[in-house]
Amino acid sequence: MDNKALLHKHGLRITDTRLAVLSLLQNSSKALSQSDVERSLPQQADRVTLFRVLQAFEDAGLAHKVMDAHGVARYASCAPTCSTEQHQDSHAHFHCTQCGDVYCLEDVELPKVKVPKGFKQQESHLEVEGRCAACA
Amino acid sequence: MDNKALLHKHGLRITDTRLAVLSLLQNSSKALSQSDVERSLPQQADRVTLFRVLQAFEDAGLAHKVMDAHGVARYASCAPTCSTEQHQDSHAHFHCTQCGDVYCLEDVELPKVKVPKGFKQQESHLEVEGRCAACA
DNA sequence: CAATATTTGCAACCGACTTGCAAATAATGC
DNA sequence: GCATTATTTGCAAGTCGGTTGCAAATATTG
Ligand SMILES: [Zn+2]
Ligand SMILES: [Zn+2]
Ligand SMILES: [Zn+2]
Ligand SMILES: [Zn+2]
């Protein structure tokens, strides 16, 4: 399935910017911030548009958002099983303490945690810190 | 040991604002953002001062910083074993998806994760999402 | 109490995030 | 293809958290 069909399947109209951003995310080994996308995009697009494209991708289950160590949102493409209804991104993330880059890691079995009385658990995420290959 | 001695032990001068912020963190069941602190403080202080107080607490090992789901820093008081040299806050954190509040949880044994070749792991943190007692 | 080092408040700036609105554009049906 | 409609885009502008430089205020030292 090409990306036009992919966008359509997730209920989004096909535009040049969306196609370009989608490819960018798919071909990146790391999660990209909005400004990363803005800088890497072959064509140029307004910041607000990129903000909304990334937001739409997240809503549609095409990309998931990870906060980096500075609290800036970074996006990575989703597994094919993600949809508008539900994301299935249970994998861990690696945060480089030097350059700040964020990488998706494999799925991991997470330990059970005891929460205070009355609290309801939904999902858990593991965040790993360290140095990436370039910085180590 | 009272808080004056505690500040002194961590190499910080004793000021009214620092004492008040320290008590606030110690008596809070949740992690507090800078603006939480500003709102809850009995006395009033400039927001830059609070920023620097929290920053100093983190450097000194008196408080640790957790990013909430919106990428805003929240602070919680540290275990007595934390110091300028090293933090020992290996516990998990609970993030309420409704109100956004962050709570420190117990220590957990974390699973080993495989990272890409050349990457160096340092620390890992577990983030649990769900509803807190008030929101559930 | 004087001398010194630190902390505070203020003004100001930055970057990320967000919204409203009008113009441009994609999808739909003839 | 062409008109109609719903969506997307760009721009202006505003919000908020985080951050710095500097001078005034204050804590510590002796
Ligand atoms: Zn997903
Ligand atoms: Zn991921
Ligand atoms: Zn600590
Ligand atoms: Zn904590």
Side-chain angles (χ1 to χ4, degrees):
Chain A
M1 178 158 56
D2 69 355
N3 281 342
K4 291 191 180 181
L6 190 56
L7 284 173
H8 186 259
K9 179 184 157 203
H10 289 260
L12 296 176
R13 293 199 172 180
I14 289 126
T15 69
D16 291 348
T17 303
R18 284 178 177 171
L19 285 170
V21 173
L22 187 52
S23 297
L24 211 55
L25 293 178
Q26 287 166 343
N27 297 326
S28 174
S29 63
K30 29 185 147 170
L32 301 176
S33 68
Q34 185 188 303
S35 60
D36 286 339
V37 171
E38 188 175 0
R39 247 177 286 111
S40 316
L41 212 63
Q43 63 222 239
Q44 74 131 22
D46 190 85
R47 304 130 195 78
V48 179
T49 300
L50 296 178
F51 166 71
R52 284 192 271 231
V53 165
L54 291 169
Q55 188 177 249
F57 281 9
E58 195 193 4
D59 287 349
L62 282 171
H64 61 281
K65 177 160 72 168
V66 196
M67 289 296 180
D68 72 14
H70 296 314
V72 175
R74 302 203 183 203
Y75 296 84
S77 57
C78 278
T81 49
C82 288
S83 68
T84 311
E85 289 75 34
Q86 190 176 1
H87 277 270
Q88 307 242 335
D89 310 289
S90 60
H91 53 271
H93 288 110
F94 184 92
H95 301 254
C96 179
T97 53
Q98 175 124 350
C99 66
D101 281 349
V102 177
Y103 297 82
C104 295
L105 299 177
E106 62 193 9
D107 277 22
V108 194
E109 188 67 31
L110 296 178
K112 291 274 173 247
V113 181
K114 186 166 287 177
V115 297
K117 187 157 179 59
F119 283 43
K120 298 282 179 231
Q121 294 187 53
Q122 288 161 350
E123 292 182 60
S124 296
H125 301 281
L126 182 63
E127 309 296 318
V128 181
E129 287 174 21
R131 300 287 183 88
C132 71
C135 294
Chain B
M1 179 161 53
D2 69 356
N3 281 341
K4 290 191 181 180
L6 190 56
L7 284 173
H8 185 259
K9 179 183 157 204
H10 286 78
L12 297 176
R13 293 198 171 181
I14 289 127
T15 69
D16 291 348
T17 303
R18 284 178 176 172
L19 285 170
V21 173
L22 187 52
S23 297
L24 211 55
L25 293 178
Q26 287 167 342
N27 296 327
S28 173
S29 63
K30 29 184 145 171
L32 300 177
S33 69
Q34 186 188 301
S35 60
D36 287 339
V37 171
E38 189 173 0
R39 247 177 286 112
S40 317
L41 211 64
Q43 63 221 240
Q44 75 130 20
D46 190 83
R47 66 193 203 92
V48 179
T49 300
L50 296 179
F51 165 72
R52 285 193 269 231
V53 164
L54 292 169
Q55 188 177 250
F57 280 10
E58 195 193 4
D59 287 349
L62 283 170
H64 61 281
K65 177 160 73 168
V66 197
M67 290 297 181
D68 72 15
H70 296 314
V72 176
R74 301 202 184 204
Y75 295 84
S77 56
C78 277
T81 48
C82 289
S83 68
T84 313
E85 289 75 33
Q86 189 178 0
H87 278 269
Q88 308 243 333
D89 310 289
S90 59
H91 53 272
H93 288 109
F94 184 93
H95 301 255
C96 179
T97 53
Q98 176 124 351
C99 66
D101 281 349
V102 177
Y103 297 81
C104 294
L105 299 176
E106 62 193 9
D107 276 21
V108 195
E109 187 68 29
L110 295 179
K112 290 272 173 245
V113 180
K114 187 166 287 178
V115 296
K117 185 152 180 61
F119 283 43
K120 299 281 178 230
Q121 294 187 53
Q122 288 160 350
E123 290 182 60
S124 296
H125 301 282
L126 183 63
E127 309 295 319
V128 180
E129 286 174 22
R131 299 287 183 89
C132 71
C135 295

